Amino acid sequence: MPARRILSLWFPRLAAERLLRLGAAGPDASLAVVRDAGQRQVVVALSAAAEAAGVLRGQPLADAMAVCPGLVTRRASPAVEVAFLSALRRWAGQVSPWVAEAPPDGLVADITGCAHLFGGEAAMVDRLAEDCAGFGLTLRCAIADTPGAAWALARYGGGGPAPARSGDAIAQEARATRSKAAPRRRGSGPALRAGGRIAPPGQTRTALADLPVAALRIEQEVAEQLSRLGLRRIGDLAGQPRAALARRFGPGLVARLDQALGAAPEPVSPAPPPRAHAARLSFPEPIGREADIMAGLDRLMERVCARLVEAGRGARRLRLEALRSDHATEMVEVGLARPAAAPDRMRPLFALKIGEIDAGFGIDRLRLEAVETEPVTPRDPAGHLDAARGPAPEAAVDDLVGRLGARIGLEAITRRHPADSHIPEKTATVLAAAWSAPHRADWPVPPAPRPLLLWRPEPVAAPDDPVPPARFRWRGRVLTVAAAEGPERLSPEWWLDDPDWRTGARDYWRVTCAEGDRLWLCYAHGGAMSAGWFCHGAFA
């Protein structure tokens, strides 16, 4: 079995160079990416020009602007940078199928048994460096026997240690003391390539010996403590008793040291590939009849639904692609009111839209994909008596919503839920039917009958008196009151400034007119606006 080989990719200017690729600044501009840290902004990524000007990562923005007055700054976008790193992970899949992300700016890949496909590890590194140069990205990479060693060589293999100087550091040794110290063991270090280092198999300890202890992925405080004791390089730690190191600095230091040297396992866990719930069907001869397209769609729906059931998910939106003989593609999409994995719930929706496909000179291939899926919650099993009664009312309503949505769009179909308010026009909340469940409890009963139709209060020409008038004018008509029931006092919500309720408290009356109209009139007692009579709705 070949020795395990790990490739570490580090993009030291990832956030800044991503913005340069998008044209946020000129290619030679001094660009810094900043983020908020408490009450100040600090630099988290730099372009090559900004680094050459003396700006440092982790530096406060005010200090960075003092060093480089022409510095161009952009705010960090963590979510976009994570997506960009995921795209780079997919690109790195060319060298190995076992690639994982090392946030925020790195990747790690297990390339065991893969290097010979590129002519060796050196040729693999050169190819990656060439690709990144074409992308406009700076790359530092390393190959070693362990993920920890590859990570350390990629980030610290190009320079010497950077110890934290302090007054009590054991750096002022006498000349005689240093002369008596055992000389350092020197071995063949890692081979330096353009943009990367390669540690020969089995030479991990030698490759890491001269690197600073910060390369072990330990906390900065621990690295500073080790530096004050004179343990500045990994080689200084490798021969120390593990028990003493664990007692003094905690088990984290020992774990990182053993992982880097290969004494403790450290697996590479790649991100699982996105699972596509799709199927395609190729035809020996082009087809064009709707019946033939539906027959092919039936086969595709069975395969897609089987995959959805296996994954425990249901489709919310499906797309059918028809590849024509002239290489053009026709597409139709349907949406479901509830996630489903049953072909009989999908077929009627496609039957409504299959006529939109222009077959042209014929269709060579069909492809069906569940574009949006959701987890399907298990439902209570139905007995023989319930099954004999037919589908549940909710399922029938969902199918109706889906069919209507195929015609006018799911967003245009709404349903109402009761709301916690005594204001007549606010007693119900409008929700999209496809993304809400029906109200299962009884609808709250109002204290008095409510009209079938409601509109914004319309002025009524009547005497300014709280008693219902004998006659009034409304919408250009003169109506005679035959009967009036009420009043029902409703007050505005004092914590809200509703323009329709600036007339203050209202007394509502159910008025029956001699002309046959049954109206909901109210007398507003006045508030920010003057008092008067208004018509708010009509009964059936």
Side-chain angles (χ1 to χ4, degrees):
M1 182 177 179
R4 189 184 186 208
R5 300 294 283 168
I6 303 298
L7 168 68
S8 178
L9 303 173
W10 179 41
F11 305 93
R13 306 186 183 103
L14 181 66
E17 290 175 339
R18 181 189 68 85
L19 293 172
L20 291 178
R21 284 166 47 90
L22 297 177
D28 298 328
S30 298
L31 176 67
V33 181
V34 299
R35 65 172 175 83
D36 296 331
Q39 299 297 324
R40 61 180 184 175
Q41 291 183 322
V42 296
V43 177
V44 295
L46 297 165
S47 64
E51 289 185 0
V55 184
L56 303 176
R57 293 182 63 177
Q59 192 175 29
L61 179 58
D63 297 345
M65 295 297 293
V67 173
C68 181
L71 187 66
V72 180
T73 61
R74 293 291 185 273
R75 187 176 293 273
S77 301
V80 180
E81 292 163 9
V82 168
F84 188 51
L85 187 62
S86 298
L88 291 175
R89 172 181 55 81
R90 295 189 293 270
W91 158 78
Q94 63 179 314
V95 299
S96 171
W98 213 255
V99 184
E101 299 175 15
D105 51 11
L107 301 172
V108 59
D110 190 334
I111 59 170
T112 305
C114 300
H116 71 280
L117 301 175
F118 300 86
E121 295 177 348
M124 176 187 292
V125 170
D126 292 341
R127 176 170 175 174
L128 293 174
E130 182 180 355
D131 288 352
C132 287
F135 299 155
L137 300 177
T138 302
L139 173 66
R140 298 287 183 267
C141 60
I143 299 177
D145 293 341
T146 64
W151 190 94
L153 288 172
R155 288 157 177 80
Y156 294 89
R165 295 292 183 180
S166 61
D168 60 345
I170 307 177
Q172 309 299 329
E173 303 175 76
R175 185 182 301 274
T177 305
R178 291 199 302 269
S179 63
K180 294 179 181 179
R184 291 188 182 274
R185 248 187 343 179
R186 299 189 179 274
S188 58
L192 181 61
R193 304 288 304 174
R197 281 181 174 265
I198 301 176
Q203 300 295 324
T204 301
R205 183 181 294 264
T206 303
L208 298 179
D210 292 334
L211 298 185
V213 293
L216 292 175
R217 299 172 292 174
I218 58 179
E219 294 81 2
Q220 183 178 358
E221 295 78 6
V222 176
E224 292 175 354
Q225 294 177 22
L226 292 171
S227 180
R228 285 195 294 267
L229 295 177
L231 302 174
R232 300 187 184 89
R233 301 175 183 268
I234 297 178
D236 300 333
L237 285 177
Q240 299 294 326
R242 298 294 191 266
L245 290 176
R247 284 195 303 269
R248 183 68 180 271
F249 304 101
L253 173 62
V254 176
R256 287 302 193 185
L257 180 60
D258 289 342
Q259 287 176 348
L261 297 179
E266 184 179 4
V268 176
S269 301
R275 185 170 183 176
H277 305 284
R280 64 181 181 182
L281 180 64
S282 300
F283 304 106
E285 295 290 339
I287 64 172
R289 298 171 56 243
E290 291 187 8
D292 295 337
I293 297 176
M294 292 300 300
L297 180 60
D298 290 337
R299 297 187 182 183
L300 293 176
M301 285 190 295
E302 292 179 0
R303 292 157 56 183
V304 172
C305 289
R307 296 179 183 179
L308 290 172
V309 171
E310 181 182 357
R313 305 185 69 85
R316 286 298 299 263
R317 189 161 60 92
L318 297 107
R319 177 190 299 149
L320 176 64
E321 301 177 1
L323 181 64
R324 303 192 323 192
S325 301
D326 56 357
H327 303 290
T329 302
E330 295 286 327
M331 290 190 301
V332 294
E333 289 190 2
V334 298
L336 288 85
R338 290 289 177 274
D344 57 343
R345 303 284 300 277
M346 306 173 185
R347 196 180 194 281
L349 305 180
F350 277 111
L352 294 174
K353 305 193 73 174
I354 206 70
E356 300 178 7
I357 296 180
D358 181 10
F361 294 102
I363 297 174
D364 289 333
R365 186 173 66 220
L366 292 176
R367 183 179 185 271
L368 179 65
E369 179 181 5
V371 182
E372 292 182 7
T373 62
E374 293 181 5
V376 177
T377 57
R379 295 178 178 269
D380 296 334
H384 293 287
L385 180 60
D386 295 335
R389 294 173 180 171
E394 294 182 10
V397 172
D398 293 341
D399 292 341
L400 175 61
V401 171
R403 288 194 295 270
L404 293 175
R407 293 294 189 185
I408 62 176
L410 291 175
E411 295 79 5
I413 307 171
T414 60
R415 62 161 49 101
R416 292 178 177 269
H417 278 211
D420 187 13
S421 178
H422 69 280
I423 302 299
E425 57 267 30
K426 297 182 180 180
T427 55
T429 302
V430 179
L431 303 175
W435 288 276
S436 61
H439 181 65
R440 303 181 184 279
D442 294 335
W443 198 273
V445 179
R450 292 289 183 260
L452 179 63
L453 300 177
L454 275 178
W455 48 72
R456 296 187 64 180
E458 299 177 356
V460 171
D464 188 7
D465 188 351
V467 179
R471 302 180 67 187
F472 61 91
R473 178 182 292 273
W474 172 68
R475 290 186 178 179
R477 301 168 56 198
V478 177
L479 302 176
T480 303
V481 176
E485 300 177 57
E488 178 189 359
R489 173 66 62 91
L490 293 179
S491 300
E493 297 171 328
W494 56 267
W495 58 92
L496 296 176
D497 183 16
D498 191 342
D500 292 337
W501 281 81
R502 290 176 179 173
T503 53
R506 302 173 183 173
D507 289 337
Y508 279 88
W509 297 80
R510 300 185 299 277
V511 175
T512 302
C513 301
E515 291 77 8
D517 299 88
R518 300 185 64 225
L519 302 176
W520 205 34
L521 301 185
C522 66
Y523 178 79
H525 290 270
M529 298 178 63
S530 58
W533 282 93
F534 297 88
C535 182
H536 200 174
F539 293 89

